[in-house]
Amino acid sequence: DVKVTQSSRYLVKRTGEKVFLECVQDMDHENMFWYRQDPGLGLRLIYFSYDVKMKEKGDIPEGYSVSREKKERFSLILESASTNQTSMYLCASVSGTGLSGANVLTFGAGSRLTVL
Amino acid sequence: AQSVAQPEDQVNVAEGNPLTVKCTYSVSGNPYLFWYVQYPNRGLQFLLKYITGDNLVKGSYGFEAEFNKSQTSFHLKKPSALVSDSALYFCAVRDFTGGSYIPTFGRGTSLIVHP
């Protein structure tokens, strides 16, 4: 089975701290995603990456950055955490290139971040 | 542009009764449609998808969904609900003629199955 592992399930950080959320997948998928999940708002795409060192902004990139130095790892970075970034963060990956839209995303278990 | 709507925040059903979770979509071309389920404190899991062919799609855990092009809908159904089906359900759409492989998700519907 494809596995997407998010290293931190629960984090509590203080306003202004730099936060790293790590995601690793073990199936050589080209494409990786970071979503934010909030009640009533569903999943909102923060950033995605279709190759090593490549990244594209999603719908809500403000306040976030990403890093993809290796194919299997996609990191989400909050440069200076704020209380409105308290949320559940979901990482996902999928194989294939742009025309393989029928492929299914595989999600990690999520990282619940609380910013005080 | 692509979008998906799940008009119900919550669906309540008694165990053993049929259930329906609604989803409508909007794409400029032809859609790929997906249903995912999320159990508490877990990531999303794939249930089923419509790509082409038969309008009735069968998936995991006894779920099925019917693609209706004229009504632009893709409702999730199950003939007999179980308490263990209680979870958050997400519909997603991708316009495969739109040049993007990224799906758009709905806001989610909480399904509560009462014993």
Side-chain angles (χ1 to χ4, degrees):
Chain A
D1 282 351
V2 176
K3 282 198 169 53
V4 177
T5 303
Q6 295 182 233
S7 55
S8 301
R9 290 298 308 275
Y10 301 94
L11 303 94
V12 180
K13 298 293 182 180
R14 297 209 173 271
T15 301
E17 280 193 78
K18 190 170 186 176
V19 181
F20 292 87
L21 299 180
E22 304 287 344
C23 175
V24 177
Q25 50 94 4
D26 66 358
M27 283 300 290
D28 203 36
H29 284 174
E30 294 85 355
N31 310 297
M32 297 187 73
F33 307 82
W34 275 106
Y35 287 92
R36 172 175 171 162
Q37 181 182 8
D38 299 288
L41 297 178
L43 272 66
R44 294 180 291 169
L45 182 64
I46 305 172
Y47 267 97
F48 66 98
S49 170
Y50 53 90
D51 202 351
V52 176
K53 297 190 184 296
M54 305 304 291
K55 60 184 180 184
E56 295 285 345
K57 293 180 179 179
D59 300 318
I60 53 164
E62 296 79 17
Y64 304 95
S65 62
V66 291
S67 173
R68 193 162 180 204
E69 296 296 319
K70 295 184 177 181
K71 192 174 185 179
E72 67 270 18
R73 186 180 298 270
F74 192 36
S75 303
L76 180 69
I77 303 158
L78 287 66
E79 293 290 342
S80 178
S82 63
T83 55
N84 63 11
Q85 292 178 310
T86 292
S87 187
M88 169 71 93
Y89 291 88
L90 294 170
C91 176
S93 72
V94 66
S95 65
T97 60
L99 296 179
S100 301
N103 291 347
V104 170
L105 269 64
T106 299
F107 284 84
S111 297
R112 186 168 294 281
L113 172 66
T114 301
V115 183
L116 302 175
Chain B
Q2 58 190 30
S3 65
V4 62
Q6 294 180 242
E8 303 154 316
D9 290 334
Q10 184 171 302
V11 170
N12 290 277
V13 65
E15 188 174 30
N17 283 0
L19 70 87
T20 298
V21 182
K22 296 180 180 178
C23 171
T24 59
Y25 67 89
S26 175
V27 296
S28 55
N30 293 304
Y32 289 153
L33 292 155
F34 306 81
W35 276 102
Y36 291 81
V37 61
Q38 184 181 36
Y39 297 102
N41 299 313
R42 304 288 293 276
L44 276 68
Q45 300 174 30
F46 169 71
L47 270 182
L48 50 79
K49 66 181 178 182
Y50 172 81
I51 305 302
T52 187
D54 194 347
N55 289 344
L56 185 64
V57 179
K58 294 187 183 296
S60 306
Y61 312 122
F63 283 93
E64 58 189 28
E66 186 167 10
F67 171 64
N68 187 318
K69 189 172 184 177
S70 63
Q71 297 185 4
T72 62
S73 67
F74 189 56
H75 300 331
L76 181 69
K77 300 182 179 184
K78 187 173 182 181
S80 178
L82 299 172
V83 172
S84 58
D85 292 329
S86 299
L88 192 56
Y89 290 82
F90 289 94
C91 182
V93 66
R94 179 192 168 268
D95 180 352
F96 74 81
T97 56
S100 170
Y101 55 90
I102 301 168
T104 296
F105 286 84
R107 294 188 174 189
T109 299
S110 178
L111 173 67
I112 299 174
V113 181
H114 302 276

